[in-house]
Amino acid sequence: YGEDDGVAPAQVKDVVVENINGGAILRYTVPSDPDLLYVKAVLQNSRNERQEVRASMYVDSLLIEGLGNTQPRKVEIYSVDRHENASKPVTVTINPLTPAVEAVYSTISTIADFGGFVLSFANERATINGIQRFLGIEWNTNDIDGSKPVFDFPLCAFADVY
């Protein structure tokens, strides 16, 4: 794409925010610039650390996820070209909904089972990966139907406890 012309691409337009559990989906109109490479969103996460999310020039949305609370956040959206020239930011405010793990935590229960127990929780938001990390339990998520409203997972084969 030749030499760096020092010219930043145009800004994204028509940004629409859809707040979701623990984040937001930002939909926008991608500028028609032949030098455009990606669009990025920059914000402060729950730990007050800089978080950056990128999307290819071929898509018209960014997914921000993993925010641990419902505090409103300012998000700056940039168009970036192949030479890392960034547009002026478009600033939007997101208001993340309650993180899924927080909602699930209050519904966790256990039932004694042969050689272990069954872990049960409501999964109304159809999310499983964040819950797995939160609980510190590893399972093959390919074997799980994460769309079920209630999730039961048997845990067994633990070492004997005397």
Side-chain angles (χ1 to χ4, degrees), residues 13-88:
K13 298 184 294 185
D14 308 320
V15 179
V16 175
V17 175
E18 178 187 347
N19 295 305
I20 60 172
N21 297 99
I25 299 171
L26 307 178
R27 290 179 171 62
Y28 47 83
T29 302
V30 179
S32 58
D33 184 324
D35 201 24
L36 180 68
L37 183 59
Y38 63 91
V39 175
K40 71 177 177 179
V42 178
L43 68 147
Q44 298 294 323
N45 67 18
S46 302
R47 291 184 225 137
N48 206 27
E49 299 167 337
R50 183 179 188 273
Q51 180 176 340
E52 186 174 300
V53 178
R54 295 181 181 195
S56 158
M57 65 183 172
Y58 300 109
V59 296
D60 63 355
S61 63
L62 284 161
L63 173 62
I64 297 170
E65 59 185 345
L67 302 177
N69 58 44
T70 59
Q71 294 177 345
R73 290 175 175 75
K74 297 252 185 258
V75 179
E76 294 180 335
I77 307 168
Y78 299 87
S79 300
V80 182
D81 70 14
R82 297 176 190 282
H83 299 285
E84 293 298 315
N85 296 309
S87 68
K88 291 184 179 175

Side-chain angles (χ1 to χ4, degrees), residues 104 107 120-128 131 143-154:
V104 166
T107 70
S120 180
F121 55 85
N123 188 27
E124 295 170 359
R125 291 173 177 84
T127 178
I128 209 72
I131 295 163
D143 297 337
I144 297 170
D145 180 0
S147 65
K148 291 182 179 178
V150 176
F151 180 76
D152 293 318
F153 185 73

